[in-house]
Each structure stands twice: as C-alpha cells, then as structure tokens.
C-alpha cells in the first residue's frame, strides 16, 4: 500500500520540483543547525519514511514569498475553524492542509533524526510554518487548478494530535476557509472533507443543544436526542400556554375583583389543565379566604403539594383538606386541645377551620 | 409599575452593534461565526436584563388590553418573545410576520395532507421505507414545532431550535414570575424575577 502511494506521488510530483523546493525549505527553517535534512529523494526509497509526502507543485513560489516569519504562539497558530466555502476554495485548503501535514511530517522526521535537543525550535518553526501556510491561503487560490489533482494520502499522527489541540483555538483567528486535517486512514477527497466538515458542524450544534436540554446526556445518537429535544420543546410550549391561561385568570381576577366565585366551579375550571393545575385554583382560593394567615397557609400548602404530581381534582381536594391542618398547626395549638375528635368529614373540618380563626 | 420598569437604554446600544456585526459577517460567510454568535445569542436569553425587559413589556401590554383570554395572552407572549429576538432568527421572523398567514396556510396544508395520507397507506410494502428515515421524521416533527422552520436543513434547524429553546425558557421564567407577582396582589415588588440561573 505504501509503495502504491509512493508511486502515485512520483507520478504527480516530478522530482525536479521537489528538489527545487528543498533548498527553499531549508532557507525557511533558517538557522536550524541540523542539516541532516536529506534530500527528499532519499526519502523515496527509504522504508522508514514510506509515509513521507512531497511538497506540492505550487509549493515553490509560495515559500519564496514568505520572507517574514512572524512567531506565532503554537497554540494559536493552526486554526481549524469550520466554515462554509465553495468547493474551489476547498481544494485550495485541502491542499494547504496537505502541505501543513507534510511539513509536520518533515519536522517530525527531523525531530526524530536529530533528537529532542532542539524540539522547541522545531515546534516553533512548525507553528510558523503552519501560520504562514494559513496566511498564504489567499495566494494559494491561484494555484487551485494545479493542485486539484492532489490526491495523496496523508497519514500522520502529528496532524491528528495537532488538530485536536488546535481545534480549541478555533475562533481566535479570522477563518475564511475550512481547515480540516485528514486523519490517518481517512479519505482526503474534497467531497469527503467537506462532508466531514459539515458533520462536525452538525455535531457541534447537537452538543450545544445537549447543554440546553436537560437529561440529554444519557441518550446517545441523533434519534434519541431529537426525541428528547422534541419532548422538551413541547413541554416548554405547554408550560407557556398554561402560564398564559393562569396570567389571564389572574389578570381578570385582579381587575374585576371577583371574590364570590362558587366553589363548585373549581373542579371544572381546573380539569382543563394538566397535572400541575392546582395553581389556578390559588387565586380563587385566595379570593374567598380574606385572612392573610389563611393565604399563607394556602400558599405554602400548595407549594408543598406542587412537587408530587397530583391530578387536578385530587389536588383541590387534598389542598382543601390539608389547609385546615396546616392552618391549625400554624396557628396557636392551644386552641386545638378542646377538639378531641378529628372527624374527617369535610364539613366538620371546615367548621373547625372557621372556628379556629375567630 | 414604574418601580420595575427596567433601564431600557443599555439595550439598544448593544443590539445595533450586534446586528451590524452580524450583517457584515453574514455577507461574506454565512456560517463562519455562527458558533460564537449563536452561543452569544443563547447566553443573552439567560441574562436578567432580557427577562426584565420581556416581563415588563408583557405586563404593560396586559394592562393596556381590556380582554385577557388565555389565547390572547399566549399570542401576545409569543409576539413579544419574537420582538425580543429582534428578528435575527427565523422563528422570530415567522412569528412576527403573522400567525394569521400561518393559520390560512395550515388549512390548505391539512387538505393536502389528507390526500397524501390516503396515497401512502395503500402500498403496504412502502411502509417500511417510510419509517426508515426515522431521524428525518423527527427532524420534520421538530421543524413543525419551531415556528417557521418547516423545511430547513439540519444545521440551520438545530441552530434555530437551540435559540428557540433558550427563548422559551426565558419566557417561562418571566411568565412564572409575572403570575406570582399578580397572585400576590401586586403589593410586593417582583423580586423573584431577578433570581436567575
């Protein structure tokens, strides 16, 4: 497999161009003392460097342009922001990505050959190289046609690691183009790269949604997550409707001061609402209980009973039954002692309740 | 009422800048900055300021209008929410442009749907094929839930959904606070509104 890759490379990259790019690369590296950079032809036959890839056709003139090598901090340099571009640009940046990887490879090889002594300088140079590649992106546009036949396999571990680190610095620099690194064993077709970029964009958005929707962490996969999202949106919309009904009710009660609502209407009124529908009963309950202490009792009872889900009618019944107990407990207990019999007859309880506050 | 009218002045200062930035960027690259802008937008929904503005607007509109049916309040709430979104998102534009138009279209679509269903039920073998793109069906369902996003591609739909969810959460919080405020008789200042996540 490696040999065929090499064959392909040999076909697309005439050796003289590689030879011309090597001295440029050397000058690029500048003061790097290790001149063990063998000529790239040597890498061709070598078994250790079988995955080595050459510089592209249009690589030469660009290196000449890069007179200035501004030192960019390594973490900010390669910038793989995903954005939508035309396919033409895609091939340009695909080529740029390829170049970057090749340079990484070269640097990696150099590192391995020279030892870890000057590793910092190498990483710096790598960053510079990559940064310069990025800055030259626009100039690459002219050479798109020449590079559109680039179909080499770039398989480096360095690129994978760096793409992982550098995806953090995504939004730092201005990204006009997609920078996608082809990982080991993946196709470097422009279509598949675009497809991968699209998929990554979508997964990013799904993650963002995952943060919004509670309980999405347990579900994996698009379908399950979409289910959760749909349920959540529906529940939010239902809540909004319910709250709007409640506000309308409160509004009308505040405006028209309806205090004589008969109790019989409440179950029918509340039955239209979902489970947490005890709350609309609250205004009507507060209406017929004018005592502030009674209001408190109602409020705290309803707050307590809100947490366990109850049906509408049950809620009313339990609220009405438990209010007297709460009210009695909150009020002075000494008054309760004469009442030895606790008959659960609602009528009786209401009597007790009324008597307790006179 | 005046006691809880928020300081609306800072609002307009921020939004035109934001919109200008967005317009400039969208001209060139529609999606290059979307991750950051979307996140920023979503975070804005969580701020106290948005909630205060929204709830004060809602209370004001409620006081102005004589009728207070549930549906009216709901429509008003959604319209105000769309206004708070300042028309930057598709769902907000869809809401603002008219629920009436949507209602008319729904009737048309209903008739078309019935006919389509009849056709699809006949071939039994096709039923398997219909169910296979389960993800697609869910996407369509989600598109129907979010206003104005019936036929959006996945990426845009997800973005709209996240913004819509953030906005809905803000709306629920604000309306809960309003209802508590109204229930307490309007005597206490709405301090509960300021408690935010």
């Amino acid at each position: 497999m490696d040999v065929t890759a090499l064959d392909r490379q040999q076909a697309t990259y005439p050796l003289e161009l590689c030879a011309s790019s090597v001295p440029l690369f050397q000058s690029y590296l500048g003061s790097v003392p290790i001149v063990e950079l063998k000529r790239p032809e040597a890498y061709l036959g070598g078994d250790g460097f079988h995955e080595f890839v050459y510089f592209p056709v249009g690589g030469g003139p660009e290196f000449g342009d890069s007179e200035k090598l501004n030192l960019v901090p390594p973490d900010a340099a390669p910038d793989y922001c995903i954005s939508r571009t035309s396919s033409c640009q895609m091939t340009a940046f695909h080529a740029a990505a390829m170049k970057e990887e090749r340079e990484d490879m070269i640097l990696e090889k150099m590192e391995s050959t020279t030892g870890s002594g000057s590793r910092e300088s190498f990483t710096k140079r790598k960053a510079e190289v990559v940064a310069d590649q990025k800055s030259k992106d626009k100039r690459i546009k002219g050479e798109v046609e020449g590079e559109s036949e680039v179909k080499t396999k770039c398989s480096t571990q360095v690129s994978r690691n760096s793409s992982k680190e550098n995806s953090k610095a995504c939004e730092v620099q201005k990204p006009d183009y997609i920078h996608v690194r082809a990982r080991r064993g993946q196709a470097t077709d422009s279509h598949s790269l675009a497809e991968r970029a699209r998929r990554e964009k979508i997964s990013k958005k799904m993650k963002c949604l995952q943060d919004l929707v509670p309980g999405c962490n347990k579900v994996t996969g698009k379908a399950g997550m979409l289910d959760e999202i749909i349920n959540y949106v529906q529940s939010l919309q239902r809540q909004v409707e319910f709250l709007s009904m409640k506000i309308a009710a409160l509004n009308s009660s505040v405006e028209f001061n309806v205090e004589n609502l008969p109790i019989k209407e409440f179950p029918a009124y509340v039955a239209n609402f979902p489970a947490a529908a005890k709350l609309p009963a609250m205004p009507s309950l507060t209406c017929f209980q004018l005592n502030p202490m009674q209001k408190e009792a109602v409020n705290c009872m309803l707050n307590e009973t809100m947490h366990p889900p109850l049906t509408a009618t049950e809620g009313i019944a339990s609220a009405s039954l438990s209010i007297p107990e709460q009210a009695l407990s909150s009020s002075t207990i000494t008054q309760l002692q004469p009442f030895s019999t606790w008959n659960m007859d609602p009528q009786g309880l209401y009597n007790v309740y009324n008597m307790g506050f006179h | 009422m005046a006691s809880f009218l928020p300081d609306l002045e800072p609002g307009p200062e921020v939004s035109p800048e934001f919109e200008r930035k967005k317009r400039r960027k969208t001209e060139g690259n529609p999606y290059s900055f979307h991750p950051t802008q979307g996140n920023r937008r979503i975070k804005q929904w969580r701020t106290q300021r948005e909630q205060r503005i929204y709830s004060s607007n809602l209370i004001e509109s409620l006081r102005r209008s004589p009728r207070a049916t549930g549906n009216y309040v709901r429509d008003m709430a959604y319209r105000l929410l769309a206004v708070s979104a300042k028309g930057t998102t598709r769902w907000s534009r869809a809401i603002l442009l008219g629920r009436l138009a949507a209602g008319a279209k729904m009737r048309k679509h209903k008739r078309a749907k019935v006919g389509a269903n009849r056709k699809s039920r006949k071939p039994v073998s096709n039923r398997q094929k219909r169910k296979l793109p389960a993800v697609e069906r869910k996407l369509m369902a989600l598109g129907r839930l979010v206003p104005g996003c019936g036929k959006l591609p996945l990426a845009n739909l997800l973005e709209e959904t996240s913004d819509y969810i953030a906005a809905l959460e803000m709306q629920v919080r604000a309306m809960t606070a309003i209802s508590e405020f109204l229930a307490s008789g309007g005597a206490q200042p709405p301090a509960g509104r300021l408690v935010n996540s």
Side-chain angles (χ1 to χ4, degrees):
Chain A
M1 186 187 92
D2 306 317
V3 178
T4 54
L6 276 174
D7 288 340
R8 243 183 294 138
Q9 288 158 24
Q10 286 182 22
T12 52
Y13 296 110
L15 282 178
E16 61 259 17
L17 282 161
C18 299
S20 67
S21 58
V22 167
L24 285 169
F25 180 73
Q26 279 178 335
S27 64
Y28 204 79
L29 288 182
S31 62
V32 173
I34 297 90
V35 196
E36 285 179 32
L37 169 67
K38 305 170 201 160
R39 296 177 56 74
E41 295 91 346
Y43 291 133
L44 252 186
D47 358 35
F49 306 106
H50 50 265
E51 67 256 20
F52 189 67
V53 178
Y54 278 92
F55 288 115
V57 174
E62 279 161 15
F63 288 153
D65 288 346
S66 69
E67 295 307 320
K68 44 182 181 5
L69 299 177
N70 13 343
L71 263 179
V72 180
D75 55 336
D79 182 333
Y80 297 97
C81 237
I82 293 170
S83 57
R84 201 169 66 179
T85 67
S86 63
S87 60
C88 157
Q89 291 167 349
M90 195 50 227
T91 56
F93 295 103
H94 156 216
M98 298 305 110
K99 266 182 265 173
E100 286 160 347
E101 288 174 355
R102 277 172 227 130
E103 280 145 19
D104 283 343
M105 269 309 298
I106 294 170
L107 291 168
E108 180 78 326
K109 293 308 161 199
M110 293 192 55
E111 273 190 32
S112 57
T113 53
T114 65
S116 59
S118 49
R119 191 156 285 175
E120 307 84 68
S121 65
F122 276 133
T123 51
K124 264 193 204 160
R125 296 297 180 177
K126 176 164 91 168
E128 287 166 26
V129 164
V130 172
D132 266 302
Q133 280 304 315
K134 267 193 44 52
S135 59
K136 284 175 272 160
D137 289 339
K138 294 190 179 144
R139 288 173 244 164
I140 294 174
K141 256 200 212 172
E143 287 113 23
V144 168
E145 299 82 28
E147 292 161 355
S148 57
E149 291 102 47
V150 173
K151 288 232 194 302
T152 56
K153 272 202 162 58
C154 292
S155 55
T156 77
Q157 295 202 357
V158 179
S159 62
R160 216 186 323 159
N161 294 338
S162 52
S163 66
K164 272 186 207 157
E165 313 162 347
N166 297 321
S167 56
K168 293 177 219 158
C170 200
E171 290 105 63
V172 175
Q173 300 182 0
K174 65 169 162 84
D176 286 325
Y177 305 101
I178 295 178
H179 292 285
V180 181
R181 278 250 159 117
R183 300 206 194 117
R184 191 188 178 94
Q186 291 187 344
T188 56
D189 200 15
S190 67
H191 293 292
S192 47
L193 277 177
E195 179 66 30
R196 198 177 315 134
R198 175 186 158 267
R199 259 182 277 142
E200 283 178 21
K201 195 167 56 156
I202 286 177
S203 71
K204 205 193 289 188
K205 294 196 177 138
M206 289 286 267
K207 275 190 202 130
C208 176
L209 268 175
Q210 228 177 3
D211 298 330
L212 273 180
V213 177
C216 237
N217 313 322
K218 298 153 193 170
V219 197
T220 50
K222 271 198 249 178
M225 269 197 56
L226 281 175
D227 267 333
E228 285 292 324
I229 292 167
I230 289 175
N231 285 337
Y232 189 59
V233 171
Q234 275 176 337
S235 76
L236 281 176
Q237 285 179 335
R238 258 182 273 140
Q239 264 183 309
V240 168
E241 262 205 55
F242 165 67
L243 280 170
S244 66
M245 297 281 180
K246 184 179 162 196
I247 286 179
L250 285 175
N251 228 15
S252 60
S253 76
V254 164
E255 281 176 7
F256 298 113
N257 279 336
V258 180
E259 292 185 4
N260 300 323
L261 284 173
I263 303 177
K264 275 183 231 163
E265 283 186 16
F266 298 151
Y269 174 66
V270 171
N272 295 332
F273 295 101
K278 297 167 292 304
L279 296 172
M282 198 165 76
S284 29
L285 284 172
T286 56
C287 284
F288 75 86
Q289 290 159 11
L290 304 172
N291 194 330
M293 198 169 15
Q294 296 171 357
K295 251 196 223 176
E296 255 180 49
V298 170
N299 286 342
C300 56
M301 264 331 288
L302 285 175
N303 286 337
E304 282 175 29
T305 53
M306 185 154 62
H307 298 295
L310 294 171
T311 60
T313 48
E314 274 175 48
I316 299 286
S318 67
S320 56
L321 281 176
S322 49
I323 285 166
E325 299 173 70
Q326 179 75 3
L328 287 170
S329 60
S330 61
S331 66
T332 56
I333 304 178
T334 53
Q335 287 183 5
L336 301 179
Q337 285 164 3
F339 303 105
S340 51
T341 57
W342 287 83
N343 47 343
M344 291 309 289
D345 177 26
Q347 202 64 15
L349 271 177
Y350 277 121
N351 288 336
V352 164
Y353 177 56
N354 288 329
M355 282 164 67
F357 287 96
H358 289 316
Chain B
M1 180 79 184
S3 62
F4 57 85
L5 266 178
D7 44 345
L8 290 168
E9 282 76 30
E13 285 161 29
V14 179
S15 53
E17 267 179 40
F18 177 70
E19 285 200 54
R20 251 184 278 127
K21 251 195 255 175
K22 180 150 194 201
R23 246 179 272 133
R24 211 193 305 143
K25 302 257 158 84
T26 50
E27 246 88 82
N29 310 306
Y31 292 100
S32 60
F33 282 87
H34 254 298
T36 49
Q37 276 187 341
N39 286 338
R40 206 191 309 166
R41 192 81 205 121
I42 289 171
K43 279 175 196 158
Q44 266 194 329
W45 285 117
R46 293 212 178 121
T47 58
Q48 287 183 16
R49 193 168 56 85
E50 286 281 350
Q51 191 175 324
R52 252 184 284 157
I53 294 173
Y54 178 78
S55 44
S56 63
N57 283 339
L58 189 53
I59 289 181
E60 221 181 294
S61 64
L62 285 178
R63 299 239 165 146
R64 275 197 212 142
S65 68
R67 45 194 174 133
T69 53
N71 279 334
Y72 178 77
V73 174
R74 185 194 63 199
D75 288 342
M76 185 57 62
Y78 275 118
R79 242 175 276 157
L80 279 177
L81 192 67
V83 165
S84 317
K86 297 178 188 101
T88 50
T89 50
R90 188 172 268 251
W91 60 264
S92 58
R93 285 193 292 266
I95 291 178
L96 287 174
L97 286 177
R99 289 177 153 240
L100 297 171
K105 275 184 200 166
M106 278 288 285
R107 275 175 244 130
K108 254 196 253 173
H109 283 312
K110 261 189 187 171
R111 283 185 219 138
K113 248 194 203 177
V114 170
N117 280 341
R118 268 190 233 135
K119 284 180 211 164
S120 66
R121 266 179 222 149
K122 273 182 198 166
V124 182
S125 59
N126 282 355
R127 219 180 267 174
Q128 195 62 34
K129 283 184 195 167
R130 293 283 155 132
K131 274 192 184 169
L132 270 179
V135 180
E136 262 187 50
R137 289 180 157 262
K138 285 172 187 155
L139 283 181
M140 280 170 53
L142 187 59
R144 267 178 273 141
L145 277 180
V146 182
C149 300
K151 289 178 185 175
L152 273 192
L154 178 53
N156 305 348
L157 183 59
L158 290 179
E159 217 177 292
E160 294 284 324
T161 308
S162 53
D163 196 59
Y164 189 57
I165 287 179
L168 278 180
E169 284 178 351
M170 190 276 280
Q171 190 179 27
V172 164
R173 278 197 300 264
M175 289 175 78
T176 322
I178 288 177
S179 62
E180 283 172 14
F181 170 65
L182 284 179
S184 70
Q188 307 150 18
R193 244 194 296 156
L194 302 180
V195 179
N196 254 349
S197 56

